[in-house]
Amino acid sequence: MASKLLRQTLTKTYTTAVIRRFSTVAAVASPSEYEDPTGITMKGVKISGRPLYLDMQATTPVDPRVLDSMLPFYLSRYGNPHSRTHLYGWESETAVETARAQVAALIGASPKEIVFTSGATESNNISIKGVMHFYKDKKRHVITTQTEHKCVLDSCRHLQQEGFEVTYLPVGSDGLIDLDRLRKEIRPDTGLISVMAVNNEIGVVQPVEEIGKICKEFNVPFHTDAAQALGKIKVDVEKWNVSLMSLSGHKIYGPKGVGALYMRRRPRIRVEPQMNGGGQERGIRSGTVPTPLVVGMGAACELAMKEMEYDEKRIKGLQERLLNGIREKIDGVVVNGSMDRRYVGNLNLSFAYVEGESLLMGLKEVAVSSGSACTSASLEPSYVLRALGVDEDMAHTSIRFGIGRFTTEEEIDRAVELTVKQVEKLREMSPLYEMVKEGIDIKQIQWAQH
């Protein structure tokens, strides 16, 4: 009903606009000021229509059922959940607590252990800086990995500037950490171990359960950034033995601008708040809780709980269709990261003898990325791929395909067609590829300097 109301409102408001459908079945018709009958022009790029969306690790479309749950809290139930003196506040507070329980259920936690934040970046900051600041008199050492999300690495660098010590664990060529190396790096003053559950660039799933056992053995708090794991693989805070877990709404078909932080109650983990204010969320995250966003995240978690198994099976088939379709038509395609321990919706590929930026620009009809959306403005090769030991030239050619709940077989087939066409076109212009086809080992060539 709410979606129908929104559609009618949009249609009445934009009767003169050109309406084009989105590339996923999830989206309602929406106008764009950049569209005209001959195509879409934005940032100097013109394409015939909206591109296929295969960048699900950057963000996901809001599930229409999630939007339905949110709209009443924008239009009629708009009370502040912290207003305790009238119906509007009471119904918003009830909705927030329902959402808290929905998030908790998906990870096997108690609702009392869930703190709502603005997203996984804020949750990571609270976890890393908050824990170390609280225990700073006795704990001065953090262990993390070289392939963490940038907000984790930057939080650790911030601590280093304050005098804390940080160990950045290397990863193997498959993207996984060495558990024996982790064990050896733990010190008496280690205050936190932070390891991402599912990597946002290469999709590898770290052995979090084994890491949790090591942390429990040494009595060190364990934090994991589970933004890319939530709703995609089974998450159990008890099995994983995590003390803190960062979660995001917009990675699981929920709204942007909302996330959550799981904080274990027994044994209790303490943090120093990173924001001062009215003391909401048990004083850990002050600020008015945005009811519609929180309700949306809760609904997204409930849907994920019901549909995770079906989604995984379907997405796995699409991933195989994409990889096999590309490999059947072109050679020199390398999968970055482990294929055995990998979230099925992520496929990070490198194409030999192709310049990555040219490939991305040529794939204007497919929305993909060359790495994390948070670092894609940089022309440097992905630090994640470099940590895997990928050669710089291959790291520059990587493309991350993100497949999701609303991706269709037709979209996959079209992506295969366009990718193969563009790679072949760029290789035709590559003298290196010509030399390789002639049997020349280009790694043995001594290039002259001028």
mmCIF file of all heavy atoms in Angstrom, residues 122-166:
data_model
loop_
_atom_site.group_PDB
_atom_site.id
_atom_site.type_symbol
_atom_site.label_atom_id
_atom_site.label_comp_id
_atom_site.label_asym_id
_atom_site.label_seq_id
_atom_site.Cartn_x
_atom_site.Cartn_y
_atom_site.Cartn_z
ATOM 1 N N GLU A 122 30.917 4.058 11.581
ATOM 2 C CA GLU A 122 30.828 4.556 12.958
ATOM 3 C C GLU A 122 30.987 3.408 13.951
ATOM 4 O O GLU A 122 31.682 3.552 14.969
ATOM 5 C CB GLU A 122 29.495 5.262 13.189
ATOM 6 C CG GLU A 122 29.423 5.879 14.574
ATOM 7 C CD GLU A 122 28.112 6.587 14.873
ATOM 8 O OE1 GLU A 122 27.210 6.573 14.011
ATOM 9 O OE2 GLU A 122 27.993 7.145 15.977
ATOM 10 N N SER A 123 30.386 2.272 13.664
ATOM 11 C CA SER A 123 30.507 1.118 14.557
ATOM 12 C C SER A 123 31.956 0.671 14.693
ATOM 13 O O SER A 123 32.417 0.312 15.786
ATOM 14 C CB SER A 123 29.652 -0.039 14.032
ATOM 15 O OG SER A 123 28.283 0.307 14.008
ATOM 16 N N ASN A 124 32.692 0.683 13.580
ATOM 17 C CA ASN A 124 34.114 0.323 13.617
ATOM 18 C C ASN A 124 34.914 1.312 14.444
ATOM 19 O O ASN A 124 35.809 0.922 15.204
ATOM 20 C CB ASN A 124 34.673 0.252 12.197
ATOM 21 C CG ASN A 124 34.240 -1.001 11.451
ATOM 22 O OD1 ASN A 124 33.922 -2.015 12.049
ATOM 23 N ND2 ASN A 124 34.220 -0.930 10.128
ATOM 24 N N ASN A 125 34.615 2.596 14.301
ATOM 25 C CA ASN A 125 35.321 3.621 15.074
ATOM 26 C C ASN A 125 35.067 3.473 16.570
ATOM 27 O O ASN A 125 35.988 3.562 17.384
ATOM 28 C CB ASN A 125 34.911 5.018 14.604
ATOM 29 C CG ASN A 125 35.727 5.521 13.429
ATOM 30 O OD1 ASN A 125 36.685 6.269 13.590
ATOM 31 N ND2 ASN A 125 35.372 5.086 12.238
ATOM 32 N N ILE A 126 33.793 3.246 16.927
ATOM 33 C CA ILE A 126 33.463 3.057 18.343
ATOM 34 C C ILE A 126 34.185 1.832 18.890
ATOM 35 O O ILE A 126 34.738 1.852 19.995
ATOM 36 C CB ILE A 126 31.935 2.898 18.526
ATOM 37 C CG1 ILE A 126 31.206 4.201 18.181
ATOM 38 C CG2 ILE A 126 31.601 2.494 19.965
ATOM 39 C CD1 ILE A 126 29.684 4.069 18.139
ATOM 40 N N SER A 127 34.190 0.750 18.111
ATOM 41 C CA SER A 127 34.796 -0.502 18.565
ATOM 42 C C SER A 127 36.289 -0.355 18.794
ATOM 43 O O SER A 127 36.803 -0.713 19.868
ATOM 44 C CB SER A 127 34.544 -1.609 17.537
ATOM 45 O OG SER A 127 33.169 -1.850 17.378
ATOM 46 N N ILE A 128 36.988 0.165 17.806
ATOM 47 C CA ILE A 128 38.455 0.179 17.864
ATOM 48 C C ILE A 128 38.971 1.279 18.787
ATOM 49 O O ILE A 128 39.715 1.019 19.748
ATOM 50 C CB ILE A 128 39.035 0.318 16.444
ATOM 51 C CG1 ILE A 128 38.674 -0.933 15.623
ATOM 52 C CG2 ILE A 128 40.542 0.510 16.475
ATOM 53 C CD1 ILE A 128 38.866 -0.788 14.145
ATOM 54 N N LYS A 129 38.548 2.499 18.522
ATOM 55 C CA LYS A 129 39.027 3.603 19.375
ATOM 56 C C LYS A 129 38.381 3.560 20.754
ATOM 57 O O LYS A 129 39.033 3.847 21.766
ATOM 58 C CB LYS A 129 38.751 4.938 18.681
ATOM 59 C CG LYS A 129 39.603 5.138 17.427
ATOM 60 C CD LYS A 129 39.488 6.537 16.859
ATOM 61 C CE LYS A 129 38.263 6.708 16.019
ATOM 62 N NZ LYS A 129 38.288 7.943 15.196
ATOM 63 N N GLY A 130 37.088 3.181 20.787
ATOM 64 C CA GLY A 130 36.374 3.156 22.065
ATOM 65 C C GLY A 130 36.937 2.151 23.046
ATOM 66 O O GLY A 130 37.119 2.444 24.232
ATOM 67 N N VAL A 131 37.238 0.942 22.576
ATOM 68 C CA VAL A 131 37.790 -0.100 23.454
ATOM 69 C C VAL A 131 39.183 0.290 23.940
ATOM 70 O O VAL A 131 39.487 0.220 25.135
ATOM 71 C CB VAL A 131 37.839 -1.469 22.725
ATOM 72 C CG1 VAL A 131 38.741 -2.449 23.465
ATOM 73 C CG2 VAL A 131 36.444 -2.042 22.583
ATOM 74 N N MET A 132 40.040 0.716 23.018
ATOM 75 C CA MET A 132 41.419 1.015 23.395
ATOM 76 C C MET A 132 41.521 2.237 24.307
ATOM 77 O O MET A 132 42.375 2.275 25.200
ATOM 78 C CB MET A 132 42.281 1.191 22.141
ATOM 79 C CG MET A 132 42.400 -0.083 21.298
ATOM 80 S SD MET A 132 42.887 -1.555 22.251
ATOM 81 C CE MET A 132 44.563 -1.116 22.730
ATOM 82 N N HIS A 133 40.638 3.196 24.103
ATOM 83 C CA HIS A 133 40.647 4.361 24.995
ATOM 84 C C HIS A 133 40.166 3.977 26.397
ATOM 85 O O HIS A 133 40.665 4.481 27.410
ATOM 86 C CB HIS A 133 39.757 5.469 24.431
ATOM 87 C CG HIS A 133 40.370 6.172 23.259
ATOM 88 N ND1 HIS A 133 39.646 6.972 22.406
ATOM 89 C CD2 HIS A 133 41.645 6.206 22.793
ATOM 90 C CE1 HIS A 133 40.443 7.458 21.460
ATOM 91 N NE2 HIS A 133 41.658 7.005 21.680
ATOM 92 N N PHE A 134 39.186 3.073 26.454
ATOM 93 C CA PHE A 134 38.648 2.684 27.768
ATOM 94 C C PHE A 134 39.683 1.898 28.574
ATOM 95 O O PHE A 134 39.809 2.065 29.785
ATOM 96 C CB PHE A 134 37.375 1.847 27.586
ATOM 97 C CG PHE A 134 36.633 1.607 28.863
ATOM 98 C CD1 PHE A 134 35.667 2.514 29.294
ATOM 99 C CD2 PHE A 134 36.919 0.502 29.666
ATOM 100 C CE1 PHE A 134 34.988 2.307 30.496
ATOM 101 C CE2 PHE A 134 36.243 0.290 30.864
ATOM 102 C CZ PHE A 134 35.268 1.202 31.284
ATOM 103 N N TYR A 135 40.432 1.019 27.894
ATOM 104 C CA TYR A 135 41.400 0.154 28.593
ATOM 105 C C TYR A 135 42.846 0.639 28.424
ATOM 106 O O TYR A 135 43.789 -0.142 28.562
ATOM 107 C CB TYR A 135 41.287 -1.287 28.078
ATOM 108 C CG TYR A 135 39.932 -1.921 28.333
ATOM 109 C CD1 TYR A 135 38.993 -2.040 27.312
ATOM 110 C CD2 TYR A 135 39.593 -2.400 29.594
ATOM 111 C CE1 TYR A 135 37.749 -2.625 27.532
ATOM 112 C CE2 TYR A 135 38.355 -2.991 29.837
ATOM 113 C CZ TYR A 135 37.430 -3.099 28.802
ATOM 114 O OH TYR A 135 36.202 -3.674 29.037
ATOM 115 N N LYS A 136 43.016 1.922 28.126
ATOM 116 C CA LYS A 136 44.331 2.437 27.731
ATOM 117 C C LYS A 136 45.409 2.310 28.810
ATOM 118 O O LYS A 136 46.610 2.280 28.499
ATOM 119 C CB LYS A 136 44.215 3.902 27.301
ATOM 120 C CG LYS A 136 43.743 4.833 28.400
ATOM 121 C CD LYS A 136 43.532 6.242 27.865
ATOM 122 C CE LYS A 136 42.949 7.162 28.949
ATOM 123 N NZ LYS A 136 42.652 8.497 28.411
ATOM 124 N N ASP A 137 45.023 2.224 30.071
ATOM 125 C CA ASP A 137 46.035 2.137 31.130
ATOM 126 C C ASP A 137 46.771 0.802 31.116
ATOM 127 O O ASP A 137 47.945 0.721 31.504
ATOM 128 C CB ASP A 137 45.382 2.343 32.501
ATOM 129 C CG ASP A 137 44.891 3.774 32.689
ATOM 130 O OD1 ASP A 137 45.421 4.660 31.989
ATOM 131 O OD2 ASP A 137 43.971 3.992 33.496
ATOM 132 N N LYS A 138 46.084 -0.262 30.651
ATOM 133 C CA LYS A 138 46.693 -1.597 30.666
ATOM 134 C C LYS A 138 46.922 -2.177 29.280
ATOM 135 O O LYS A 138 47.796 -3.025 29.108
ATOM 136 C CB LYS A 138 45.817 -2.561 31.477
ATOM 137 C CG LYS A 138 45.728 -2.224 32.956
ATOM 138 C CD LYS A 138 44.864 -3.240 33.688
ATOM 139 C CE LYS A 138 44.785 -2.930 35.178
ATOM 140 N NZ LYS A 138 43.919 -3.900 35.894
ATOM 141 N N LYS A 139 46.147 -1.740 28.316
ATOM 142 C CA LYS A 139 46.208 -2.336 26.972
ATOM 143 C C LYS A 139 46.655 -1.291 25.951
ATOM 144 O O LYS A 139 46.002 -0.255 25.783
ATOM 145 C CB LYS A 139 44.831 -2.897 26.573
ATOM 146 C CG LYS A 139 44.268 -3.919 27.558
ATOM 147 C CD LYS A 139 45.130 -5.183 27.630
ATOM 148 C CE LYS A 139 44.524 -6.216 28.568
ATOM 149 N NZ LYS A 139 45.342 -7.439 28.644
ATOM 150 N N ARG A 140 47.762 -1.588 25.261
ATOM 151 C CA ARG A 140 48.345 -0.600 24.329
ATOM 152 C C ARG A 140 48.594 -1.185 22.941
ATOM 153 O O ARG A 140 49.279 -0.574 22.125
ATOM 154 C CB ARG A 140 49.672 -0.067 24.887
ATOM 155 C CG ARG A 140 49.609 0.507 26.287
ATOM 156 C CD ARG A 140 48.812 1.777 26.368
ATOM 157 N NE ARG A 140 49.384 2.845 25.557
ATOM 158 C CZ ARG A 140 48.827 4.044 25.408
ATOM 159 N NH1 ARG A 140 47.674 4.323 25.992
ATOM 160 N NH2 ARG A 140 49.400 4.961 24.654
ATOM 161 N N HIS A 141 48.053 -2.388 22.660
ATOM 162 C CA HIS A 141 48.395 -3.080 21.418
ATOM 163 C C HIS A 141 47.132 -3.601 20.722
ATOM 164 O O HIS A 141 46.243 -4.162 21.354
ATOM 165 C CB HIS A 141 49.346 -4.243 21.725
ATOM 166 C CG HIS A 141 49.734 -5.059 20.527
ATOM 167 N ND1 HIS A 141 49.602 -6.440 20.482
ATOM 168 C CD2 HIS A 141 50.247 -4.697 19.321
ATOM 169 C CE1 HIS A 141 50.025 -6.884 19.317
ATOM 170 N NE2 HIS A 141 50.427 -5.856 18.593
ATOM 171 N N VAL A 142 47.047 -3.398 19.410
ATOM 172 C CA VAL A 142 45.925 -3.864 18.588
ATOM 173 C C VAL A 142 46.480 -4.761 17.479
ATOM 174 O O VAL A 142 47.548 -4.492 16.932
ATOM 175 C CB VAL A 142 45.163 -2.676 17.945
ATOM 176 C CG1 VAL A 142 44.023 -3.175 17.056
ATOM 177 C CG2 VAL A 142 44.627 -1.737 19.010
ATOM 178 N N ILE A 143 45.740 -5.820 17.142
ATOM 179 C CA ILE A 143 46.084 -6.662 15.986
ATOM 180 C C ILE A 143 44.950 -6.579 14.974
ATOM 181 O O ILE A 143 43.775 -6.739 15.326
ATOM 182 C CB ILE A 143 46.286 -8.138 16.403
ATOM 183 C CG1 ILE A 143 47.438 -8.263 17.411
ATOM 184 C CG2 ILE A 143 46.561 -9.003 15.172
ATOM 185 C CD1 ILE A 143 47.623 -9.668 17.969
ATOM 186 N N THR A 144 45.297 -6.303 13.732
ATOM 187 C CA THR A 144 44.307 -6.303 12.652
ATOM 188 C C THR A 144 44.982 -6.880 11.404
ATOM 189 O O THR A 144 46.068 -7.448 11.493
ATOM 190 C CB THR A 144 43.741 -4.887 12.411
ATOM 191 O OG1 THR A 144 42.650 -4.967 11.498
ATOM 192 C CG2 THR A 144 44.806 -3.926 11.875
ATOM 193 N N THR A 145 44.332 -6.780 10.239
ATOM 194 C CA THR A 145 44.921 -7.331 9.021
ATOM 195 C C THR A 145 45.172 -6.221 8.003
ATOM 196 O O THR A 145 44.600 -5.129 8.100
ATOM 197 C CB THR A 145 44.003 -8.392 8.376
ATOM 198 O OG1 THR A 145 42.928 -7.744 7.695
ATOM 199 C CG2 THR A 145 43.439 -9.336 9.422
ATOM 200 N N GLN A 146 45.996 -6.530 7.022
ATOM 201 C CA GLN A 146 46.331 -5.547 5.989
ATOM 202 C C GLN A 146 45.188 -5.321 5.008
ATOM 203 O O GLN A 146 45.228 -4.366 4.229
ATOM 204 C CB GLN A 146 47.576 -6.018 5.222
ATOM 205 C CG GLN A 146 48.833 -6.075 6.065
ATOM 206 C CD GLN A 146 50.015 -6.633 5.295
ATOM 207 O OE1 GLN A 146 49.910 -6.964 4.107
ATOM 208 N NE2 GLN A 146 51.158 -6.762 5.958
ATOM 209 N N THR A 147 44.175 -6.182 5.030
ATOM 210 C CA THR A 147 43.098 -6.099 4.034
ATOM 211 C C THR A 147 41.783 -5.602 4.623
ATOM 212 O O THR A 147 40.729 -5.751 4.007
ATOM 213 C CB THR A 147 42.870 -7.479 3.385
ATOM 214 O OG1 THR A 147 42.610 -8.449 4.412
ATOM 215 C CG2 THR A 147 44.078 -7.916 2.578
ATOM 216 N N GLU A 148 41.835 -5.004 5.805
ATOM 217 C CA GLU A 148 40.598 -4.483 6.420
ATOM 218 C C GLU A 148 40.031 -3.314 5.620
ATOM 219 O O GLU A 148 40.720 -2.703 4.804
ATOM 220 C CB GLU A 148 40.892 -4.012 7.852
ATOM 221 C CG GLU A 148 41.250 -5.115 8.811
ATOM 222 C CD GLU A 148 40.137 -6.124 9.010
ATOM 223 O OE1 GLU A 148 39.021 -5.731 9.406
ATOM 224 O OE2 GLU A 148 40.379 -7.321 8.769
ATOM 225 N N HIS A 149 38.792 -2.983 5.922
ATOM 226 C CA HIS A 149 38.176 -1.789 5.329
ATOM 227 C C HIS A 149 38.950 -0.563 5.775
ATOM 228 O O HIS A 149 39.543 -0.532 6.851
ATOM 229 C CB HIS A 149 36.713 -1.690 5.785
ATOM 230 C CG HIS A 149 35.921 -0.673 5.042
ATOM 231 N ND1 HIS A 149 35.956 0.669 5.360
ATOM 232 C CD2 HIS A 149 35.073 -0.786 3.991
ATOM 233 C CE1 HIS A 149 35.153 1.332 4.530
ATOM 234 N NE2 HIS A 149 34.609 0.471 3.694
ATOM 235 N N LYS A 150 38.914 0.463 4.935
ATOM 236 C CA LYS A 150 39.726 1.655 5.195
ATOM 237 C C LYS A 150 39.399 2.307 6.543
ATOM 238 O O LYS A 150 40.285 2.849 7.202
ATOM 239 C CB LYS A 150 39.515 2.670 4.068
ATOM 240 C CG LYS A 150 40.590 3.753 4.023
ATOM 241 C CD LYS A 150 40.481 4.562 2.743
ATOM 242 C CE LYS A 150 41.663 5.530 2.613
ATOM 243 N NZ LYS A 150 41.739 6.501 3.709
ATOM 244 N N CYS A 151 38.140 2.242 6.979
ATOM 245 C CA CYS A 151 37.799 2.894 8.247
ATOM 246 C C CYS A 151 38.441 2.176 9.438
ATOM 247 O O CYS A 151 38.755 2.813 10.450
ATOM 248 C CB CYS A 151 36.287 3.010 8.424
ATOM 249 S SG CYS A 151 35.429 1.442 8.557
ATOM 250 N N VAL A 152 38.669 0.875 9.318
ATOM 251 C CA VAL A 152 39.373 0.138 10.370
ATOM 252 C C VAL A 152 40.858 0.505 10.354
ATOM 253 O O VAL A 152 41.455 0.790 11.394
ATOM 254 C CB VAL A 152 39.194 -1.383 10.188
ATOM 255 C CG1 VAL A 152 40.136 -2.165 11.101
ATOM 256 C CG2 VAL A 152 37.743 -1.785 10.467
ATOM 257 N N LEU A 153 41.446 0.510 9.165
ATOM 258 C CA LEU A 153 42.870 0.855 9.057
ATOM 259 C C LEU A 153 43.131 2.285 9.521
ATOM 260 O O LEU A 153 44.117 2.542 10.220
ATOM 261 C CB LEU A 153 43.334 0.665 7.609
ATOM 262 C CG LEU A 153 43.271 -0.770 7.065
ATOM 263 C CD1 LEU A 153 43.680 -0.795 5.590
ATOM 264 C CD2 LEU A 153 44.161 -1.709 7.874
ATOM 265 N N ASP A 154 42.252 3.206 9.143
ATOM 266 C CA ASP A 154 42.441 4.604 9.552
ATOM 267 C C ASP A 154 42.246 4.780 11.059
ATOM 268 O O ASP A 154 42.920 5.602 11.692
ATOM 269 C CB ASP A 154 41.491 5.519 8.783
ATOM 270 C CG ASP A 154 41.993 5.821 7.376
ATOM 271 O OD1 ASP A 154 43.071 5.314 7.019
ATOM 272 O OD2 ASP A 154 41.320 6.563 6.634
ATOM 273 N N SER A 155 41.321 4.025 11.651
ATOM 274 C CA SER A 155 41.137 4.077 13.104
ATOM 275 C C SER A 155 42.386 3.571 13.812
ATOM 276 O O SER A 155 42.815 4.134 14.828
ATOM 277 C CB SER A 155 39.920 3.243 13.520
ATOM 278 O OG SER A 155 38.722 3.810 13.038
ATOM 279 N N CYS A 156 42.988 2.533 13.264
ATOM 280 C CA CYS A 156 44.227 1.996 13.848
ATOM 281 C C CYS A 156 45.377 2.989 13.707
ATOM 282 O O CYS A 156 46.180 3.159 14.634
ATOM 283 C CB CYS A 156 44.580 0.671 13.184
ATOM 284 S SG CYS A 156 43.491 -0.690 13.656
ATOM 285 N N ARG A 157 45.450 3.644 12.550
ATOM 286 C CA ARG A 157 46.510 4.658 12.371
ATOM 287 C C ARG A 157 46.313 5.821 13.344
ATOM 288 O O ARG A 157 47.287 6.391 13.848
ATOM 289 C CB ARG A 157 46.511 5.156 10.923
ATOM 290 C CG ARG A 157 46.994 4.097 9.933
ATOM 291 C CD ARG A 157 47.213 4.662 8.542
ATOM 292 N NE ARG A 157 47.492 3.593 7.594
ATOM 293 C CZ ARG A 157 46.615 3.114 6.716
ATOM 294 N NH1 ARG A 157 45.411 3.628 6.661
ATOM 295 N NH2 ARG A 157 46.936 2.127 5.905
ATOM 296 N N HIS A 158 45.068 6.172 13.600
ATOM 297 C CA HIS A 158 44.769 7.220 14.575
ATOM 298 C C HIS A 158 45.287 6.816 15.960
ATOM 299 O O HIS A 158 45.874 7.639 16.677
ATOM 300 C CB HIS A 158 43.253 7.460 14.615
ATOM 301 C CG HIS A 158 42.829 8.544 15.570
ATOM 302 N ND1 HIS A 158 42.825 9.874 15.222
ATOM 303 C CD2 HIS A 158 42.422 8.492 16.864
ATOM 304 C CE1 HIS A 158 42.421 10.589 16.256
ATOM 305 N NE2 HIS A 158 42.173 9.775 17.266
ATOM 306 N N LEU A 159 45.084 5.555 16.323
ATOM 307 C CA LEU A 159 45.586 5.077 17.613
ATOM 308 C C LEU A 159 47.113 5.107 17.663
ATOM 309 O O LEU A 159 47.702 5.427 18.699
ATOM 310 C CB LEU A 159 45.096 3.646 17.863
ATOM 311 C CG LEU A 159 43.608 3.475 18.182
ATOM 312 C CD1 LEU A 159 43.265 1.995 18.307
ATOM 313 C CD2 LEU A 159 43.227 4.214 19.463
ATOM 314 N N GLN A 160 47.738 4.771 16.529
ATOM 315 C CA GLN A 160 49.206 4.818 16.477
ATOM 316 C C GLN A 160 49.717 6.227 16.747
ATOM 317 O O GLN A 160 50.729 6.404 17.432
ATOM 318 C CB GLN A 160 49.702 4.326 15.114
ATOM 319 C CG GLN A 160 49.648 2.815 14.955
ATOM 320 C CD GLN A 160 50.143 2.367 13.594
ATOM 321 O OE1 GLN A 160 49.496 2.611 12.575
ATOM 322 N NE2 GLN A 160 51.303 1.726 13.567
ATOM 323 N N GLN A 161 49.005 7.229 16.234
ATOM 324 C CA GLN A 161 49.404 8.617 16.471
ATOM 325 C C GLN A 161 49.273 8.986 17.948
ATOM 326 O O GLN A 161 49.928 9.903 18.425
ATOM 327 C CB GLN A 161 48.552 9.556 15.616
ATOM 328 C CG GLN A 161 48.848 9.439 14.126
ATOM 329 C CD GLN A 161 47.868 10.236 13.266
ATOM 330 O OE1 GLN A 161 46.879 10.782 13.768
ATOM 331 N NE2 GLN A 161 48.136 10.301 11.974
ATOM 332 N N GLU A 162 48.423 8.242 18.658
ATOM 333 C CA GLU A 162 48.236 8.493 20.092
ATOM 334 C C GLU A 162 49.194 7.661 20.944
ATOM 335 O O GLU A 162 49.130 7.711 22.174
ATOM 336 C CB GLU A 162 46.795 8.176 20.500
ATOM 337 C CG GLU A 162 45.765 9.089 19.856
ATOM 338 C CD GLU A 162 44.330 8.744 20.259
ATOM 339 O OE1 GLU A 162 44.090 7.607 20.713
ATOM 340 O OE2 GLU A 162 43.464 9.618 20.122
ATOM 341 N N GLY A 163 50.055 6.876 20.297
ATOM 342 C CA GLY A 163 51.049 6.104 21.034
ATOM 343 C C GLY A 163 50.752 4.630 21.185
ATOM 344 O O GLY A 163 51.552 3.887 21.780
ATOM 345 N N PHE A 164 49.614 4.173 20.678
ATOM 346 C CA PHE A 164 49.320 2.737 20.714
ATOM 347 C C PHE A 164 50.143 2.017 19.635
ATOM 348 O O PHE A 164 50.562 2.630 18.655
ATOM 349 C CB PHE A 164 47.827 2.487 20.456
ATOM 350 C CG PHE A 164 46.919 2.965 21.564
ATOM 351 C CD1 PHE A 164 46.421 4.265 21.559
ATOM 352 C CD2 PHE A 164 46.560 2.123 22.607
ATOM 353 C CE1 PHE A 164 45.579 4.720 22.572
ATOM 354 C CE2 PHE A 164 45.727 2.564 23.627
ATOM 355 C CZ PHE A 164 45.232 3.865 23.605
ATOM 356 N N GLU A 165 50.322 0.718 19.799
ATOM 357 C CA GLU A 165 51.027 -0.093 18.805
ATOM 358 C C GLU A 165 50.022 -0.959 18.050
ATOM 359 O O GLU A 165 49.079 -1.493 18.658
ATOM 360 C CB GLU A 165 52.076 -0.984 19.476
ATOM 361 C CG GLU A 165 53.241 -0.207 20.084
ATOM 362 C CD GLU A 165 54.272 -1.136 20.688
ATOM 363 O OE1 GLU A 165 54.842 -1.963 19.933
ATOM 364 O OE2 GLU A 165 54.494 -1.054 21.903
ATOM 365 N N VAL A 166 50.220 -1.088 16.754
ATOM 366 C CA VAL A 166 49.311 -1.880 15.923
ATOM 367 C C VAL A 166 50.107 -2.871 15.090
ATOM 368 O O VAL A 166 51.104 -2.510 14.462
ATOM 369 C CB VAL A 166 48.467 -0.982 14.988
ATOM 370 C CG1 VAL A 166 47.530 -1.844 14.137
ATOM 371 C CG2 VAL A 166 47.661 0.037 15.784
#
